[in-house]
Every structure is written in C-alpha cells, then in structure tokens.
C-alpha cells in the first residue's frame, strides 16, 4: 500500500475541501466509461451537491483516450475548473502524461500494475488491483471491460464519502429497465467500495458531505432541452443531416415524437422527420415547409450552416420561416468536431451572400435551451425568416443540473397568416406590403381555397405584390423593409441578463460562457476589481445592450473563439464605442474556465 | 372566376382554360419551354385540377422561370439552382393535399442538382418532375449541360467530349415508378403523359426534349428541332382516361395495354415499337440504351409502376395538412412535461 497521505506535500494543515473539488477520469473511448462517469456524477448529485460533468472525447468510435471531469461546488459554480483534486487513471497510454500534468497534492486512483507511484512524490496514490476485483465480481469474461469501470466508481465513492445507496440508485436510473445489467454493475461498484474500505486509508483532502442544494433539480443536456422546446412548440417538419454535436438534438426529438406526437385515434404521426441527403437539402425542406405553413426546423453544426448558406439567403429574402439550430463545435473545417467553441457567431449573424442580418438566440443554460427553442418557432413565424438558435457542444452534449422546465403556457404565435375569409375581405393584398409599418407583412398559405391569395415566391427581385421586378426602387424598398424587421425584432427577442456590482468595467458574454463568467466576476471582486456583467441572449442588440455599452468605460467581451467575433459585431453596431471593447478569448476547444477570464482581465487592468 | 368570354369551353369545375394560364412568358420566341408550359395548362384544364391546390417549384434557369407562366391560381416557389426537389419535399410534407409540379432544366437537374434529383426519386416525393431538356445552359448563355451528347457542338464550335447523363434510365435505376420522355414538338404525346402524371401519386419524372432556339438549334446540334424531329421514335400511342370518365370510354381490345392508377384512372398504351413493355424495367432500360446508341430518342411512357407509396404515406402522416394542425394536436399538455421532468430527476 502506497497511499502516502503522510507525505507533507499533500496533507499539511490543508483544510478539507468539502463539496468543492474536481475529479478527472481518464479512460479509453468505447469502453463504457461514459456510463460509469455519469453514475458517479449522479451519485454526487443525489447527495445534494452541485455537480457538472464535462466529457472530453475524441472524434472516434473506440480505442482513443477520453477524459471526463466532474466538478462539485458548494457555491454552485459549474464551469470547468482547470485544476483537479482527484485523478482516476484507467488508460495506460495516457497515465504517465496525466501524472506529469497533475496538480500538486492530487489523489490518484490507478490500476496497480501501472506503477505510477514512482513518478512524482507530491501526489497521493491509491493503487487498485482492478483485474483481480473484476474477476472476482463478474463471472462473464466478456463483460469484464465494462464492469471494470464500475469498480472505480465504488472505489471513488469510498474515498470521497459518497453513500453507496446513492451509487446503486444512480446505476438503476442509468440502466433503467435492464435488470441484469443493473445487478452486475451494482455488484461491481460494491466490490470496489468494499475492497477500498478494507485496503485504502482515509484521506482528509476532499470530501462529499450530504447537502440539499440539488433537491428538485434535474440533470439534462442542452440538445435534449432544445428537443423538448421544439416538441412543445409543435414542430411539424424536421429536415436534418447527422453531424456531431448536433445529431442528438434530432435523435432525442425522434424518441419523444414517437411517444407524444401520434394522433391518439389513428396512431398517425403529426410530425414529418426526414434525414436528408445533405444540409443543403435540409435547409430547403425547412424553408419550403415553413413557406407552406408548417413549423419547421433543422439541427446542425458549423459545416452544415456553411452548406445551407445559399438557401438561408433565399429564406431571408423571400421571407420563409424556419428554425436553424447550430450546436457549435471547434472549426474551421472538421476542426475538432468533439470539442466546443463559439466560433460561428459572425456566420450565423449574417449567414449567406448579399446583405443579410438574422435573428439569433443564445441560450445560456438548460432552461433557456428549452424556452428559447420554444420561442424560436414563434419568432420564425412572426418574422417570417430563418431564426438561429445558437448553442455549442458544451451546452448541447454535457450534463447540466437545472431547475425543471416550466410549462410554456404562452400559446403558439402563428404570425400574420391570412385565411380564406380574411383574403376575401381584403381588396388590395400584396404579399410584401408593409401594412402595419413594422416591416412584417401578411402571407397566405398554399392550398388556401377561394381563388385569392396565390402568389409567386422568388429569390429574384420582387415588389410589394411579389411580382418580378428589377426596378432599383423596388429592390431598395424590399431590403430596407427587411432591415426594418430586424429593428422590430429588438422588442421581441429575449433581453440580456444583467448582474451589476456597481462598476464602470463591464463584462459581456453569452451562451455557455455564463458559468465561468459568473465565477470570474466573483473571483475578480475578491481581488478588488468589481465588474458589471451583461449576458447577451439574442441578436439584434436590444436597448438594454445600448445602455450597457454607453454606461461602461471598458467592456470585456468574453467569448470562445480566436477572432473576437461578438466583439466585432459590437464594434460594427456601436462604432462610436468601438475602442471600449476588449477581447477576452478562449478557443482551445475545452470548455471555458473562470481563471482564464480572470487572468486576461487582470492583465488588461494592469496595462 | 372565369375571365374569358362566356362561350369558352369549361371543365368540370366550370373553369375555362384562361383560368389556368400564368403571366406572360419572357422566354425567347420559339423556345421549347413555352410549348411545355402550354401543355401543362392544357392538361391541368382538362383534368380539372383545382388551382388553389397547386404548388409549383423550380430551380434556376430559363426552364425554371416557367412556373410563373402557368397556373396563376396556384402558389409558386422559384428557389435556388438545382434544389427544386428539396422545396417540393418540404412543402409536400407540410401539406400533403397539395398538387406538386416541379420544373427544372437539364443543367439544374443533371449537374448542380443531381443529388437532389436522385434523393427525391428515392423518397418518392409526390410531384410531377419535369426536366426541360435542351442540352445547354440557356440562362447563362449556352454552355454545355451534362445531357449534351458526346460529340455535339456548341454554337461557337466547341465540342463536348463527355458522355451524357440520361435522366430517364437513371430514374428507372433508382426505382422511380413513372418515367417518361417526350418532345416539346409533340404536344399530343406530352399532353397524355402529363395527364397520366397528374394521376400518379409519387414522383413522375418527365424528361422533355425542349430545343433552345438561341443557343442550341444549329445544324450540328443533337437537340435542334430538326434533329429531334428526325430522331424521335414514339413508343406508343397514349390515351389517358381520368377515373371519372372510365365508364364512358371504350377501350379498344387487342394490342392496347391498360395501366390503372390507384384512383381508377387509366392509361391506354397502344404499342408502336414492337416488344417494348413499359411495365418491365429491364426490357425498358435495354431498349432505351439501344436506341441511345443509335442516336434516337425513344419517347412515351418509358416505365410505369402504378402503385408506389409516396413519402407522406411512408411516414404515416396524419391525413390533414401538418401546416394547419391546431395547437391542441401538436403541443403536449403540462402533464407530459411534468412526466418528462420526473424521468430527468
Ligand atoms: C449557385 C449557382 N450557380 C450558378 C448559377 C448560374 N446559373 C443560372 S441558370 C444556370 C444553368 C441553367 O441551365 P438549365 O437548368 O439547363 O436551364 P435552361 O436555362 O437551359 O433552361 C446557371 C449555371 C446560379 N444561379 N446559382
Ligand atoms: S436562351 Fe434558350 S432556353 Fe433560354 S429562353 Fe431562349 S431559347 Fe429558351
Ligand atoms: Mg438547359
């Protein structure tokens, strides 16, 4: 036994970190470790402690290294934390490197034969004879690989003080319905726990203590939350093409639609879902379905939006509704397809050729993923235009604790659509006539009987009556009205969230950066630098953003891309304040952490 | 509704042919595409198609402009180059009661849009899909298209060295249940094919050889009026009998083959070309290949398989248009959300 807690480098008088630590688990992908990691995360969550999980996985099906980090935080900080207090090293290929990179004092659970304990003296080692335990707890050799992971869950539970009742419950939840698998995995976890109880010493470094912070909360990922938003929004046509990290949004939707979108009498489907041949085709389906009156959507990532761009221009200019989810990943090109980034901000703001400006929504948490997805369909129909719901891999595919979603009571807003009777009453209808002065025109749907309302939609120049026109004044009238729509949208899109500390130094961020920025705001305040934080939730920029930008001396724009894309948009829309915007950037594909922000802002302030 | 003189003949809906026209064409005088437009108007009038049910889609090209020139009572969507099928797919799913007419060109469908052509057929989108095939890109001023014959010349003398893609054999290969070829200079045949296509439930592919008088009607062209007339080999005499008229029409016995559509409409096919069986895709494909090698155009209903479930049926969609389902049919109640939240705790 080499659990050397006596070593002065790791114990000393250091205070035990209660419900406040990060664990990193290194495994091989395709080995079933995802289940084990989720069980460990859930078990801690069930202990009433705030947790968040980040899966750092390769773009590969099996055999490459993968890391999973679990952060517990008594204060409720859920951003990634760069330093880890515990390592679980199951991958022989990366173990040595993981040790080299480990933070001093970390506890290391590892497979005994790897003999890692000689590598660094400043870590606390917990070697575990996994193979022996597996063989003893599981009679079936072909299941050994899967069960092995559950053993480290048991060992970790023992070291951290997680109640085995919660571990067992989490296993049952995770493997719902598969009684044999539940039993096998519970046995393995218990075997790990029991062995650790007998053979590993106590440690006073980190500890899970029962709390009540997570009572009533759910665990969900953003793609599921968005899928649920679309479900309740009553989406009726879905055209899509698989791409990480966006696929699971539609795939989860398909599962829910199976259950909740069948006509109770006939069993027939109230939603059409088609996996198209590519994203071009998906975009065409979305826009034409919207044109014909359906609530339509697609889900994709950056490369898909690139392909869709020609169609998006058509949708913007011909005024077809449609919801486009972009679950961003690390680009350009294939980039790091399983890593996160916010690097399609400028693209989605202006997707396509010609002058285009789109409404974008930036959910920053699970409830917003749900609510904004619901709202996006209302906006699409009210504004008759492509709407972008811009999330990212971190929101979309990671596990997040959240309050349960509130039922969206607001009825669907189907926008300005004229039916047969209304058409009959109108003398001089024009598809693109701005009757109300808000830029939003009245449309008719194909198939409307009565002999009125038919019109011709075209991507070429047209006038207020949807007739072909190359007249300069007709062209300008249409594109100026489209710009007016963008102005009108300012009073419809979600307003930013403001967290002021009474400062003239601003922080502006959006989407998945929120948890790290909130934590950074606290850390900076502790250092004596107060900031006011504005979390942007949509384009166009609303009056609240105007006021914030005007009121601040400096605005640190925190975002997850190389070029400061949101800052660029801000400089464009607020040219008189352009010099206020300072880029705080993070773009290595890992989720944003608070320290990165603190370091960059501190450096700016010291200049 | 009718805007024509009271004496003009009317169809079963009481409409005159004038009710089926569109805006004035802006194509070159003599362009084959205009003849096709004329036959669409005739067929829709004669079939008593309800104008408000019609949705017209197209890509980009001279051909793709034509939906503006027929059926003004229907809705039109002139989209982007080569992507007409995606529009038809989306709208036909949104409202399965629409009568869908897609117009494309040989450039639009056989180059930039080949993928969409292929997948529309594979999904059997309920639509008439017309390729107005002139062997060139008319709208961009006469470049070769992918249906241009090997060895054919452009006006400027350039020679095409690449083999053509034939939309018809490709469509048959893909499992399309209705594949026809016609010639804009053969209105009678085109009329019968179009009517049969209106009765067909899935994707009806019609490749219409349609000369471009401006860029591809010269002596060295294999898509000129003269060349096509000289090489047009109609396979059969086609007669279309709509379901409502089946009782009244006497179908001559003998060599006439009858194909019956699910709605009861029939096509009577009286063979001219011996041994050609349009219900056998292998025989059909072989005959088409042989004729192409001889530089001939076999025209008529090349292949027909009357019942072939279209996409909305395959997806088991509700009968009414998805687009106008009430909120109560598509928004689950609070108890559903509560139950889902429970599974996530
Ligand atoms: C993305 C894109 N690329 C190129 C064009 C230019 N373009 C317009 S029509 C056309 C070819 C049309 O040929 P075809 O479909 O045969 O129609 P035709 O004019 O011969 O009837 C091209 C290349 C375009 N509109 N869009
Ligand atoms: S250029 Fe050719 S295809 Fe285009 S309108 Fe003129 S004749 Fe027709
Ligand atoms: Mg052409």
């Amino acid at each position: 036994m080499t659990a050397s807690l006596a070593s002065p480098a790791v114990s000393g008088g250091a205070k035990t970190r209660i419900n406040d630590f990060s664990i990193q688990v290194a495994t091989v992908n395709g080995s079933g470790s995802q289940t084990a990691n989720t069980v460990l995360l859930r078990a801690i969550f069930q202990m009433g402690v705030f947790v968040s999980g980040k899966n750092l996985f390769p773009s590969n099906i099996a055999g490459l290294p993968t890391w999973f980090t679990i952060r517990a935080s008594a204060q409720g900080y859920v951003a990634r934390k760069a330093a880890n207090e515990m390592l679980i090293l199951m991958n022989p290929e990366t173990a040595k490197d993981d040790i080299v990179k480990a933070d001093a004092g970390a506890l290391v659970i590892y497979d005994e034969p790897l003999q890692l304990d000689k590598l660094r003296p400043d870590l606390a080692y917990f070697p575990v004879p996994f193979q022996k335990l597996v063989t003893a707890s599981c009679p079936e050799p072909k299941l050994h690989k899967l069960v092995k992971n559950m053993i480290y869950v048991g060992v970790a539970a023992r070291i951290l003080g997680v109640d085995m009742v919660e571990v067992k419950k989490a296993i049952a939840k995770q493997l719902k319905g598969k009684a044999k698998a539940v039993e096998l995995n519970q046995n393995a976890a218990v075997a790990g726990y029991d062995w650790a109880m007998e053979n590993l010493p106590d440690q006073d470094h980190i500890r899970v203590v029962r709390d009540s912070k997570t009572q009533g909360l759910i665990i969900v990922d953003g793609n599921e939350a968005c899928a649920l938003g679309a479900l309740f929004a009553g989406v009726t046509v879905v055209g899509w093409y698989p791409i990480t990290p966006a696929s699971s949004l539609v795939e989860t939707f398909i599962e829910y639609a199976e259950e909740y979108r069948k006509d109770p009498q006939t069993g027939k489907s109230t939603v059409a879902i088609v996996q198209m041949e590519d994203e071009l085709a998906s975009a065409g389906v979305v826009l034409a379905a919207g044109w014909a009156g359906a609530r339509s959507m697609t889900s994709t990532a950056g490369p898909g939006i690139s392909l869709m761009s020609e169609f998006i221009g058509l949708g913007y200019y011909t005024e077809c509704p449609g919801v486009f989810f972009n679950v961003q990943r690390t680009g350009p090109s294939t980039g790091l397809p399983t890593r996160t980034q916010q690097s399609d901000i400028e693209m989605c703001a202006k997707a396509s050729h010609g002058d285009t400006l789109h409404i974008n929504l930036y959910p920053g948490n699970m409830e917003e993923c749900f609510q904004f997805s619901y709202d996006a369909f209302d906006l699409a129909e009210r504004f008759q235009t492509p709407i972008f719901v811009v999330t990212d891999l971190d929101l979309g595919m990671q596990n997040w604790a959240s309050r349960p979603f509130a039922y969206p009571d607001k009825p669907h807003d189907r926008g300005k659509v004229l039916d047969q009777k209304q058409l009959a009453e109108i003398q001089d209808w024009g598809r693109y006539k701005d009757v109300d002065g808000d830029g939003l025109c009245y449309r008719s749907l194909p198939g409307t009987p009565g002999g009125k309302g038919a019109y011709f939609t075209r991507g070429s120049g047209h006038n207020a009556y949807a007739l072909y026109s190359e007249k300069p004044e007709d062209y300008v009238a249409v594109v100026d009205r489209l710009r007016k729509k963008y102005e009108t949208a300012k009073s419809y899109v979600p307003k930013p969230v403001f967290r002021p500390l009474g400062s003239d130094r601003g922080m502006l961020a959006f989407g998945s950066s929120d948890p790290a920025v909130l934590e950074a705001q606290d850390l900076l305040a502790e250092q004596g630098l107060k900031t006011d934080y504005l979390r942007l939730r949509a384009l166009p920029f609303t009056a609240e953003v105007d006021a914030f930008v005007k009121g601040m001396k400096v605005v640190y724009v925190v975002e997850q891309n190389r070029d400061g894309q949101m800052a660029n948009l801000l400089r464009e829309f607020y040219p008189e304040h352009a010099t206020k915007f300072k880029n705080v950037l993070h773009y290595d594909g890992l989720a944003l952490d608070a320290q990165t922000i603190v370091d960059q802002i501190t450096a700016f302030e010291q200049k | 509704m009718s805007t024509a003189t009271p004496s003009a003949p009317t169809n079963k809906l009481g409409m005159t042919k004038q009710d089926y026209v569109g805006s004035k064409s802006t194509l070159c005088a003599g362009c084959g595409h205009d003849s096709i437009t004329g036959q669409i108007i005739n067929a829709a009038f004669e079939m008593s198609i309800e104008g408000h049910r019609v949705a017209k889609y197209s890509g980009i090209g001279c051909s793709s402009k034509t939906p503006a020139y027929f059926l003004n009572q229907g809705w039109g969507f002139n989209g982007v180059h080569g992507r007409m099928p995606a529009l038809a797919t989306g709208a036909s799913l949104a409202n399965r009661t629409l009568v869908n007419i897609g117009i494309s060109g040989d450039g639009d469908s056989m180059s930039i849009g080949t993928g969409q052509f292929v997948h529309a057929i594979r999904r059997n989108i309920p639509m008439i899909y017309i390729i107005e095939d002139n062997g060139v890109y008319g709208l961009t001023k006469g470049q070769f298209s992918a249906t241009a014959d090997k060895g054919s010349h452009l006006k400027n003398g350039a020679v095409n060295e690449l083999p053509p893609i034939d939309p018809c054999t490709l469509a048959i290969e893909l499992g399309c249940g209705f594949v026809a070829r016609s010639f804009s200079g053969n209105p009678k045949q085109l009329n019968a094919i179009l009517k049969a296509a209106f009765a067909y439930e899935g994707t009806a592919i019609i490749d219409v050889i349609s000369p471009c008088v401006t860029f591809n009607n010269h002596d060295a062209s294999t898509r000129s009026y003269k060349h096509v007339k000289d090489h047009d080999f109609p396979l059969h005499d086609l007669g279309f009998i709509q379901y409502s008229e089946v009782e009244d029409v006497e179908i001559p016995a003998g060599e006439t083959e009858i194909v019956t559509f699910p709605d009861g409409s029939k096509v009577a096919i009286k063979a001219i070309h011996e041994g050609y069986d349009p219900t056998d895709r292998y025989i059909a494909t072989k005959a088409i290949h042989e004729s192409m090698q001889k530089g001939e155009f076999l025209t008529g209903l090349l292949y027909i398989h009357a019942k072939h479930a279209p996409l909305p049926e395959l997806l088991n969609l509700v009968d009414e248009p998805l687009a106008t389902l009430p909120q109560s049919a598509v928004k689950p109640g609070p108890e559903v959300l509560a139950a889902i939240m429970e599974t996530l705790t």
Side-chain angles (χ1 to χ4, degrees):
Chain A
M1 282 313 92
T2 47
S4 43
L5 279 178
S7 131
V10 292
S11 67
K15 221 170 94 201
T16 305
R17 299 177 70 117
I18 293 170
N19 299 343
D20 179 25
F21 55 84
S22 280
I23 306 172
Q24 184 169 64
V25 188
T27 52
V28 176
N29 85 314
S31 68
S33 54
Q34 176 75 345
T35 310
N37 296 332
T38 312
V39 164
L40 185 54
L41 175 114
R42 273 197 167 279
I44 300 172
F45 174 81
Q46 286 162 203
M47 294 283 289
V49 179
F50 264 129
V51 268
S52 57
K54 306 263 183 233
N55 188 13
L56 188 70
F57 59 106
S59 175
N60 184 58
I61 302 304
L64 286 186
T66 169
W67 293 267
F68 191 91
T69 46
I70 296 172
R71 178 178 184 184
S73 167
Q75 291 120 302
Y77 294 135
V78 292
R80 185 177 70 87
K81 184 163 76 69
N84 295 300
E85 284 71 30
M86 178 190 263
L87 302 176
I88 302 177
L89 305 182
M90 302 298 287
N91 183 356
E93 260 183 57
T94 64
K96 290 210 168 107
D97 203 35
D98 289 333
I99 289 279
V100 170
K101 287 186 193 144
D103 299 286
L107 316 183
V108 184
I109 298 173
Y110 69 98
D111 201 2
E112 195 168 32
L114 293 178
Q115 300 190 341
L116 301 175
D117 53 330
K118 306 286 178 295
L119 294 173
R120 268 175 69 172
D122 58 343
L123 307 175
Y125 294 98
F126 297 85
V128 180
F130 281 101
Q131 201 48 51
K132 227 167 71 192
L133 292 171
V134 169
T135 321
S137 78
C138 173
E140 280 187 66
K142 68 174 196 278
L143 297 176
H144 282 178
K145 207 168 90 182
L146 296 174
V147 162
K148 190 168 172 183
N149 294 318
M150 221 38 96
I151 291 181
Y152 73 64
V153 174
V155 172
R158 146 73 182 131
I159 295 177
L160 292 167
V162 175
D163 197 329
M164 271 315 276
V165 173
E166 303 301 351
V167 173
K168 284 183 172 172
K169 215 165 95 187
I171 290 171
K173 178 116 198 155
Q174 194 66 20
L175 303 169
K176 205 166 75 195
K178 299 176 211 152
K180 216 184 129 201
V182 169
E183 197 195 321
L184 198 72
N185 281 283
Q186 287 180 341
N187 288 347
V190 169
Y193 186 89
D194 290 347
W195 180 88
M197 202 65 184
E198 261 174 53
N199 297 285
L200 296 180
D202 285 335
Q203 56 83 25
D204 60 359
H205 200 70
I206 55 179
R207 193 120 209 110
V208 173
V209 173
R210 242 183 224 285
D211 201 344
S212 56
K213 297 252 167 59
T214 63
Q215 208 154 26
L217 299 188
I218 58 169
I219 294 183
V220 69
D221 65 48
N223 283 350
E224 179 159 8
C226 289
L228 285 171
L231 179 77
F232 287 87
V235 62
T236 43
V237 176
V238 183
W240 72 294
Y241 191 77
I243 184 168
T244 303
S247 302
S248 67
L249 197 161
V250 171
E251 285 165 340
T252 310
F253 177 78
I254 291 171
E255 285 173 30
Y256 281 118
E258 272 301 309
E259 198 161 345
Y260 299 115
R261 290 297 297 280
K262 297 270 193 249
D263 181 279
Q265 260 89 55
T266 61
K268 290 186 174 184
S269 186
T270 62
V271 55
I273 308 165
V274 189
Q275 184 184 321
M276 296 303 293
E277 60 268 32
D278 55 34
E279 287 87 347
L280 276 149
S282 306
V285 162
V286 168
L287 295 173
W291 172 78
R295 298 201 129 191
S296 58
M297 69 172 229
T298 190
S299 168
T300 188
I305 300 283
S306 292
L307 276 177
M308 291 173 176
S309 286
E310 188 194 21
F311 253 133
I312 289 166
L314 178 80
Y316 175 78
Y317 189 47
T318 62
E319 303 181 57
C320 294
V323 175
F324 292 74
F325 288 96
N326 180 4
V327 188
Q328 298 167 101
R329 62 188 211 182
T330 306
S333 189
T334 303
L336 306 175
T338 59
R339 303 294 157 82
T340 195
Q341 214 168 49
Q342 297 175 318
S343 51
D344 302 333
I345 297 305
E346 284 180 287
M347 175 165 74
C348 289
K350 300 181 174 189
S352 207
H353 48 280
D355 287 326
T356 45
L357 285 173
H358 303 293
I359 297 171
N360 279 240
L361 304 180
Y362 305 118
N365 54 51
M366 296 300 105
E367 286 174 275
E368 289 179 0
C369 282
F370 176 72
Q371 185 64 45
F372 290 10
S373 300
Y374 182 87
D375 295 338
F377 291 87
D378 284 358
L379 288 168
E381 293 197 314
R382 170 110 335 236
F383 286 84
Q384 302 170 22
T385 195
I387 303 289
F388 293 84
V389 181
V390 182
T391 70
D392 58 26
L393 184 143
D394 191 25
L395 285 169
M397 289 186 73
Q398 306 295 10
N399 283 312
W400 297 84
S402 168
R403 273 192 306 246
F405 305 152
Y407 188 73
D409 286 315
K410 193 175 60 164
H412 295 164
D413 173 8
R414 305 302 306 263
K416 298 182 183 179
V417 178
L418 300 171
D419 61 18
Q420 180 182 358
K421 201 165 140 265
Q422 293 165 313
L423 282 164
E425 283 162 9
I426 296 171
Q427 287 311 311
D428 186 35
W429 177 68
R431 166 66 183 96
Y432 300 118
K433 261 171 84 173
D434 186 5
V435 181
D436 301 331
D438 55 5
L440 313 177
C441 308
Y442 288 82
R443 63 181 182 133
S444 65
L445 302 184
T448 308
K452 281 184 87 177
Y455 70 99
F456 198 87
T457 304
R458 44 167 64 84
S460 42
H462 46 262
N463 62 18
Y465 293 89
L467 297 173
Y468 184 82
S469 171
E470 294 186 10
K471 286 188 190 150
E473 61 274 21
D474 283 345
Y475 171 80
V476 170
V478 171
V479 293
D480 283 353
R481 184 179 51 74
L482 293 177
R483 183 63 208 243
K484 190 178 348 167
K485 287 201 332 189
Y486 195 66
E487 293 303 311
T488 302
K490 290 181 177 176
S491 50
Y492 283 78
V493 297
K495 296 182 188 333
V497 175
F498 193 39
R499 191 185 187 220
L501 297 180
S503 174
D504 57 7
R505 333 294 290 167
M507 279 202 287
L508 185 149
F510 54 93
S512 67
S513 303
D514 187 46
V517 177
L518 285 170
E519 188 176 348
Q521 194 186 18
D522 290 351
L523 292 173
L524 286 166
E526 278 167 30
Q527 290 178 18
L529 178 68
K530 279 188 189 160
T531 54
D532 282 8
Y533 168 34
L534 184 99
R535 179 162 65 87
L536 198 71
R537 300 198 294 173
L539 289 180
F541 298 125
T542 59
E544 296 76 13
V545 185
D546 302 352
F548 176 76
V549 169
K550 280 185 196 125
M552 292 296 129
K553 281 218 176 77
V554 181
V555 178
Y556 294 110
V557 184
V558 182
E559 54 189 314
Q560 302 175 48
N561 58 62
R562 184 194 66 184
D563 294 340
Q565 297 187 19
M566 185 62 81
N568 289 343
L569 290 175
L570 287 160
R571 289 182 193 108
E572 178 184 338
F573 282 88
Y574 299 104
E576 66 279 26
H577 303 287
T579 53
K580 286 184 183 174
F581 302 110
K582 308 278 180 232
N583 293 348
V584 175
L585 304 174
H586 171 84
Y587 49 90
D588 62 4
L590 303 179
L592 179 62
D593 65 295
Q595 199 56 47
T596 297
I597 304 169
V598 170
D599 292 347
Q600 289 188 36
I601 291 181
T602 310
F604 270 117
E605 290 287 329
Q606 282 164 357
K607 263 181 211 162
Chain B
M1 182 88 309
S2 171
T3 49
T5 55
S7 60
T10 53
N11 63 13
K12 267 177 264 154
L13 299 174
M15 300 278 179
T16 68
K17 198 186 280 182
Q18 195 57 33
D19 294 319
Y20 288 84
V21 303
S23 318
K24 200 173 153 295
S25 169
T26 59
L27 302 184
C28 305
C31 175
H33 302 348
D34 279 337
S35 314
I36 302 171
T37 296
Q39 287 318 315
I40 295 171
I41 293 169
N42 285 341
F45 165 68
E46 288 161 26
M47 294 280 288
S48 300
I49 301 293
E50 292 179 282
H52 73 270
R53 285 201 193 283
V54 172
K56 309 168 285 181
Y57 316 93
S58 59
I60 300 290
C62 297
S63 36
S64 291
K65 289 185 176 192
T66 65
Y69 312 147
F70 60 83
L71 280 161
N72 259 357
Q73 287 192 32
W75 276 253
F77 201 154
N78 177 204
V80 294
H81 194 20
R83 324 289 175 194
M84 175 277 283
L87 298 180
T89 304
S92 64
L93 292 173
N95 183 347
R96 61 183 299 184
T97 67
L98 295 175
V99 174
N100 303 295
I101 305 174
I103 306 288
S104 182
D106 43 321
D108 202 55
S109 274
M110 288 298 109
S111 290
I112 192 167
T114 315
Q116 297 223 331
F117 170 85
V118 164
H119 288 275
I121 291 172
R122 182 166 168 260
R123 296 191 184 98
N124 205 21
I125 303 304
M127 72 186 297
I128 300 177
Y129 188 141
I130 299 171
I131 302 166
E132 306 192 342
D133 187 349
N134 52 18
V136 286
Y137 290 4
L139 192 57
T140 51
K141 296 187 177 286
Q143 301 84 356
F144 279 124
S145 86
T147 64
D149 291 307
K150 197 168 174 176
S152 66
H153 292 245
L154 286 184
K155 240 174 144 179
N156 67 12
V159 181
N160 172 43
E161 302 290 0
L162 299 172
I165 298 176
D166 175 30
C168 291
T169 44
L170 179 55
I172 295 173
E173 174 63 29
L174 292 165
C176 184
F178 187 115
V179 182
R181 179 146 34 225
S182 193
F183 172 39
S184 64
N186 186 350
K188 191 165 161 277
Q189 182 194 53
L190 181 54
N191 181 271
I193 289 172
L194 282 168
K195 284 167 149 178
F198 272 118
Y200 185 68
E201 288 181 328
T203 308
I205 296 289
I206 312 174
D207 179 46
V208 188
I209 311 297
S210 172
C212 168
V213 292
T214 305
F215 296 110
N216 205 12
N217 200 31
H218 47 276
D219 292 344
S221 163
T222 57
R223 289 287 196 284
S224 67
Y225 273 111
K226 183 169 180 333
H227 184 92
V228 180
K229 248 197 188 98
D230 294 346
H231 295 80
D232 179 10
F233 285 79
L235 285 164
H236 30 236
D237 272 335
L238 289 175
F240 178 78
I241 311 135
Q242 207 172 359
Y243 63 92
S244 52
E245 290 160 353
V246 167
E247 304 269 296
D248 316 329
V249 176
E250 208 173 297
I251 297 165
E255 303 99 86
T256 305
E257 183 165 357
I258 305 292
V259 175
T260 308
F261 291 102
D263 73 350
S265 301
K266 294 177 190 296
V267 240
I269 306 169
K270 188 160 170 280
I272 298 173
H273 187 293
E274 241 176 82
Y276 191 92
D277 180 358
T279 62
D280 183 323
R281 57 199 285 204
Y282 302 104
I283 292 179
T285 311
K286 185 162 173 277
I288 300 166
H289 278 299
E290 283 168 2
S291 78
M292 283 196 300
Q293 262 159 24
K294 288 187 270 177
E296 300 167 356
F297 297 100
L298 280 188
T299 59
L301 195 48
L302 300 180
Y303 177 68
I304 178 77
H305 177 76
K307 177 63 194 163
H308 182 18
L311 188 63
E313 198 176 313
L314 283 176
L315 294 177
N316 195 26
L317 299 183
V318 291
D319 298 335
E320 52 276 50
L322 294 177
T324 46
L325 288 174
Q327 178 175 297
S328 58
V330 296
K331 182 178 176 181
E335 72 292 348
V336 170
L337 185 63
I340 293 170
M341 289 301 106
E342 192 52 42
T343 66
L344 297 173
T345 51

